Amino acid sequence: DMVSDNRTLVTEFIILGFPNAREVELLLFAAFFLMYVLTFTENVAIILIIGMDYHLHTPMYFFITNLSFLDIGYTTVTVPKMLANIAIQSQTISVTGCFTQLYIFFFLGSAECFLLTTMAYDRYLAICNPLHYTTIMDRRACLWLALGCWLGGLLAPALPTAFIFRLPFCGSNIINHFFCDSPPLLELSCQGVFEIEVINFVVGTTVLMSSFILTMISYIFIIAAILHIPTAEGRSKAFSTCASHLTIVTIFYGTTMFMYIRTKTIQTFDFNKIVSVFYSVITPVLNPVIYSLRNNDIKQGMRKVILKQ
C-alpha cells in the first residue's frame, strides 16, 4: 500500500559507488575497465574456439560455453554502469532500471549456481560411469540440462524481486553500493521489510545450498572413484579434468554464500562492496583463465582457429 502521508516517493536512486576512493578514481576506472574488456574478450574467444573446433563439441565444453555466456552477461549488467558512475559521475538510475539490474544480476547468478552443479554432475558421470557416459549425456540431455539452468535462473529471483518492487521508497534514495543489490535497497524502504528479508534469505539459501550440496555430493563420488584408480598417472589425469571446476566452485560459492546467506546484513556496506567486486567482476575474469588456458584441448583449438585464418 502507498504511503498515506505527504512524503514524496522516490522516482530514481543514486548509486554511491566508491565515495572514499575519489583520489584513486582513475586507477579504479582503469582496473574495472581492463577487467571488463578481459572478461568479454576471453569469454568470446572461448565461445568461438569451442564453436569452431568440432573436437570440442562434447558435453563438458558445451557447458563451458554456457558459463562463458553467463559470465559476459553477469559483468555487463553491473560494470558498464559502474564505469559510467566513475567516469561521468552519472550516478542516478531510475527505479525501473534499478529493479531490472537487480533481477538480471540474480537471474544470471542463480543460473550460474545451477550450471556449476550440472557441470559437477557431468564430471561425475564421466569419471564414475564412463561406459555409459556418452549414452546418458547425449546432445538432447545436454540441451535440456542447460535449458533447465537458464529457466531455473529466470524463476529463482522472480518472487523476491516482485516483493521488493512493490515496496514504497520515500526517504533517502542513496544506494550504498556500486549496483542495485537487495540489502542496500531494502535499507531505503519506508515500510517494514522483515518478510521480504525472510523471502530473500529462503530463496537465496535454497538456490545456493541445494546447488552447493549437490555439487559436493558429486565430488565425494568423484574423489572416491579417483582414489580407486590403480595408477598415479590415471589418478592425476582424472583429477585434472575436475581441478578447474573445483577451483571455480570454491571461489564462487565462498564469496556468494558469505554475502547472501545472512538474515541481517552486516552493516559495513564498504566491506560488502569488496566481496561483491570479487564475485561480480573478478570471478568472471578468472573463470576462462582457470578453465581454458590451463586446458590443452582449448589451446589446440586456439591454434587451429589462428592457423585457419
Side-chain angles (χ1 to χ4, degrees):
D1 60 15
M2 282 291 139
V3 185
S4 51
D5 60 31
N6 55 13
R7 287 178 293 180
T8 51
L9 288 174
V10 167
T11 53
E12 60 179 21
F13 292 110
I14 291 166
I15 297 178
L16 202 55
F18 301 92
N20 310 334
R22 287 279 173 254
E23 57 283 3
V24 286
E25 263 188 340
L26 268 174
L27 207 62
L28 265 184
F29 182 85
F32 286 131
F33 181 72
L34 183 67
M35 282 194 270
Y36 181 64
V37 169
L38 267 174
T39 301
F40 201 86
T41 315
E42 290 168 349
N43 283 296
V44 167
I46 282 169
I47 292 164
L48 290 175
I49 289 161
I50 292 172
M52 289 162 83
D53 184 354
Y54 73 94
H55 290 109
L56 300 178
H57 292 182
T58 65
M60 182 168 97
Y61 292 109
F62 171 69
F63 295 129
I64 289 176
T65 303
N66 277 272
L67 185 69
S68 287
F69 276 113
L70 277 174
D71 281 340
I72 290 169
Y74 204 54
T75 43
T76 302
V77 77
T78 53
V79 179
K81 178 67 186 153
M82 175 168 61
L83 291 172
N85 285 1
I86 300 172
I88 52 174
Q89 304 290 307
S90 136
Q91 289 169 300
T92 57
I93 187 167
S94 68
V95 172
T96 316
C98 186
F99 287 112
T100 306
Q101 189 184 50
L102 175 80
Y103 176 74
I104 294 172
F105 185 77
F106 285 103
F107 146 48
L108 295 169
S110 305
E112 186 148 330
C113 281
F114 300 138
L115 186 65
L116 289 171
T117 309
T118 304
M119 291 164 97
Y121 174 64
D122 172 64
R123 292 298 82 209
Y124 156 74
L125 284 177
I127 289 166
C128 301
N129 202 347
L131 298 177
H132 299 111
Y133 175 65
T134 47
T135 49
I136 300 171
M137 219 19 126
D138 62 3
R139 195 180 182 132
R140 199 162 159 222
C142 289
L143 285 170
W144 277 112
L145 283 166
L147 191 64
C149 295
W150 287 90
L151 279 176
L154 267 174
L155 294 173
L159 190 68
T161 312
F163 275 104
I164 297 172
F165 190 71
R166 290 179 57 207
L167 282 174
F169 296 92
C170 51
S172 164
N173 67 337
I174 295 170
I175 294 174
N176 188 6
H177 211 319
F178 60 85
F179 69 96
C180 288
D181 198 358
S182 55
L185 250 180
L186 291 175
E187 288 286 306
L188 304 181
S189 173
C190 45
Q191 185 180 300
V193 292
F194 177 72
E195 294 89 346
I196 295 175
E197 284 189 325
V198 170
I199 292 166
N200 259 356
F201 177 73
V202 170
V203 172
T205 309
T206 307
V207 170
L208 275 171
M209 291 312 291
S210 61
S211 48
F212 179 70
I213 289 164
L214 288 170
T215 303
M216 288 303 104
I217 291 169
S218 295
Y219 270 102
I220 290 164
F221 283 111
I222 288 168
I223 291 162
I226 289 174
L227 293 175
H228 283 104
I229 295 172
T231 65
E233 190 195 346
R235 282 195 296 272
S236 105
K237 192 178 177 208
F239 188 72
S240 73
T241 69
C242 306
S244 332
H245 181 255
L246 202 51
T247 312
I248 288 172
V249 162
T250 310
I251 298 170
F252 183 81
Y253 285 110
T255 50
T256 46
M257 280 179 180
F258 180 83
M259 268 304 282
Y260 294 106
I261 300 194
R262 299 188 304 218
T263 36
K264 191 71 190 144
T265 311
I266 295 169
Q267 292 310 307
T268 55
F269 279 121
D270 289 336
F271 182 59
N272 288 354
K273 282 182 213 176
I274 294 163
V275 180
S276 301
V277 164
F278 208 86
Y279 66 79
S280 62
V281 184
I282 297 171
T283 310
V285 176
L286 293 179
N287 282 359
V289 178
I290 294 167
Y291 241 115
S292 309
L293 307 180
R294 290 179 59 235
N295 180 315
N296 287 327
D297 294 341
I298 293 266
K299 284 179 191 164
Q300 282 171 348
M302 204 184 288
R303 280 189 210 105
K304 280 182 203 166
V305 169
I306 292 164
L307 293 172
K308 259 186 201 170
Q309 303 312 316

